[in-house]
Amino acid sequence: MKGLTVLGSTGSIGISTLDVVARHPGRYQVMALTANRDVEGLFAQCLQFNPKIAVMADETAAADLANRLWRAGNHTEVLSGLVGLEEAASMPDSEYVMAAIVGAAGLLPALAAVRAGKRLLLANKEALVVSGRLFMQEAAAHGAVILPIDSEHNAVFQCMPDDFTNGLNACGVKRILLTASGGPFRTTKLDELAHVTPEQACDHPNWEMGKKISVDSATMMNKGLEVIEAHWLFHAEPENIQVVLHPQSVIHSMVEYADGSVLAQLGNPDMRTPIAHALAWPERVESGVASLNLFDVARLDFAEPDMQRFPCLRLAFEAVAAGGTAPAVLNAANEVAVAAFLEGRLGFLGIAELVERVLQKNEVQPTENLEQLLDIDHQARRMAEQMLAQRV
Ligand code: NAD
Ligand code: MG
């Protein structure tokens, strides 16, 4: 039995993870579950999986959960705050940690897992965007194994040679081809984009996901964050990462080798495939995902992304090329902009505009340490909020 912590267990990835785990009762034992404020969701998961620890990021919610568990006769210990999240991420009972908190809030708990030398199933791409260099260095120093959950990176991982730690060149790889569905607005008339609503932006054609990543998919900032994620995970220079629009989301990404071979990983768009892959690796287990019916799929289309339509993708490429603290600033401004869009405080096109303005106002610094990155993250958020406030 492998002990497992699921950080962000009440979210889209968290729920899919527990779905796969429940299919293999003798294989994984849930040791810790965590959520932000969803007491109801975590309470139900505690009754089903009986973890040792449950963590609510919010303290009032933690007291509420503890009370309800006690009344239900459940003995899960309830912790709260960052201390609780870090405890769940590094506890000796868990060999495996799923990092599925959304946003930069997931960075410190994921880093705690890395520093404890865990097998880290990494869904939280923002952690690598904010602190990629440091994160990868810490993983190497502590012997942590990082298995990507993001479907594209999981696909790339499956298509890469066994050892890719010395860069693409050294292992005969020419390019990484990251596929992208193009989201719900791939073909929307450009002059209609100004008026799209959060409901429309969250209505992804192929994937069911949390709200933040759904909006990121609609702006294609998600693909931009994924370019940065691939840069760190696979030691790939941005110029060797090509984004390929592929509206069917059947090919999850590809790797092109020096000899001209292109390897692809295909499957139905269901996150339980990469989750099951990373849980069982190097073995393979049932995930609950239906067989891919190629006769139903019938055709696969590809196109180059349009940087005019998707300025967030351009901004992400510029940020990774600028290096240093630029990706952390990009991410922070984007988190503020997406939250404002979801709350109806900012129009859809305003997301890219705000991110660009914050990037322009922040001089790029070389990365030094975690404190500096967290500081930059806070400053960029404050600046984005001020700019938002000045607009009205
Ligand atoms: P979600 O919004 O559905 O769930 C987020 C989880 O994190 C919830 O359990 C929530 O309670 C918790 N959480 C939120 N804010 C928190 C905070 N401040 N402190 C502690 N916990 C907090 O998000 P999701 O769609 O499951 O995505 C999770 C991560 O996985 C994101 O980084 C996303 O980019 C990545 N990802 C998701 C998908 C997908 O299909 N959903 C695919 C690839 C990558
Ligand atoms: Mg993805």
Side-chain angles (χ1 to χ4, degrees), residues 125 150-152 222-223 226:
K125 65 191 83 187
D150 215 342
S151 58
E152 297 76 4
N222 183 50
K223 210 50 53 180
E226 290 182 359

Side-chain angles (χ1 to χ4, degrees), residues 333 346 353-362 380-392:
L346 183 68
E353 281 166 22
L354 186 66
V355 174
E356 182 147 33
R357 285 181 61 203
V358 174
L359 277 167
Q360 279 166 354
K361 286 247 169 181
N362 272 274
R381 279 169 205 270
R382 263 205 308 276
M383 184 183 286
E385 287 292 359
Q386 278 165 4
M387 286 178 179
L388 269 173
Q390 282 159 9
R391 287 163 52 96
V392 269

Side-chain angles (χ1 to χ4, degrees), residues 19 56-57 70 100 142 166 183 191 220 295 305 356 373:
D19 180 281
M56 301 293 315
W70 179 75
H142 296 277
N166 293 317
D191 56 3
M220 281 193 79
F295 304 123
E356 182 147 33
L373 289 168

Side-chain angles (χ1 to χ4, degrees), residues 131-150:
S131 69
R133 182 184 304 280
L134 185 112
F135 204 88
M136 297 306 289
Q137 281 169 352
E138 292 286 315
H142 296 277
V145 175
I146 300 180
L147 293 172
I149 294 299
D150 215 342

Side-chain angles (χ1 to χ4, degrees), residues 110-328:
L111 200 54
V114 159
R115 286 176 170 160
K118 305 294 186 193
R119 170 186 288 203
L120 184 70
L121 284 56
L122 185 63
N124 177 242
K125 65 191 83 187
E126 294 91 344
L128 281 181
V129 173
V130 175
S131 69
R133 182 184 304 280
L134 185 112
F135 204 88
M136 297 306 289
Q137 281 169 352
E138 292 286 315
H142 296 277
V145 175
I146 300 180
L147 293 172
I149 294 299
D150 215 342
S151 58
E152 297 76 4
H153 305 74
N154 185 271
V156 170
F157 182 88
Q158 293 195 45
C159 297
M160 285 291 264
D162 286 346
D163 183 8
F164 51 79
T165 46
N166 293 317
L168 300 190
N169 242 338
C171 60
V173 172
K174 213 167 176 179
R175 287 194 301 170
I176 288 173
L177 303 165
L178 276 191
T179 52
S181 69
F185 306 137
R186 184 176 52 88
T187 56
T188 306
K189 286 202 186 110
L190 284 180
D191 56 3
E192 286 172 14
L193 285 181
H195 310 292
V196 301
T197 63
E199 291 68 33
Q200 290 169 316
C202 289
D203 189 15
H204 196 280
N206 307 337
W207 298 94
E208 270 186 53
M209 308 179 284
K211 283 200 166 124
K212 194 263 178 179
I213 183 176
S214 295
V215 176
D216 283 348
S217 299
T219 61
M220 281 193 79
M221 179 59 91
N222 183 50
K223 210 50 53 180
L225 301 179
E226 290 182 359
V227 168
I228 303 173
E229 185 185 10
H231 165 61
W232 292 115
L233 281 174
F234 303 114
H235 314 278
E237 294 310 317
E239 56 272 22
N240 298 328
I241 304 172
Q242 170 76 57
V243 174
V244 180
L245 277 189
H246 165 48
Q248 290 90 356
S249 299
V250 165
I251 296 183
H252 299 307
S253 277
M254 296 170 262
V255 172
E256 180 183 340
Y257 282 82
D259 61 9
S261 300
V262 178
L263 301 194
Q265 187 260 0
L266 287 73
N268 284 320
D270 186 321
M271 290 306 293
R272 289 176 301 175
T273 294
I275 290 167
H277 168 267
L279 276 171
W281 181 82
E283 292 171 27
R284 297 275 179 172
V285 295
E286 182 64 46
S287 67
V289 176
S291 280
L292 177 65
N293 187 328
L294 283 172
F295 304 123
D296 285 348
V297 174
R299 58 181 276 181
L300 300 173
D301 294 304
F302 306 99
E304 235 179 288
D306 173 356
M307 296 286 184
Q308 301 266 297
R309 176 182 290 273
F310 299 114
C312 284
L313 185 56
R314 167 180 60 80
L315 291 171
F317 267 108
E318 287 171 7
V320 69
T325 52

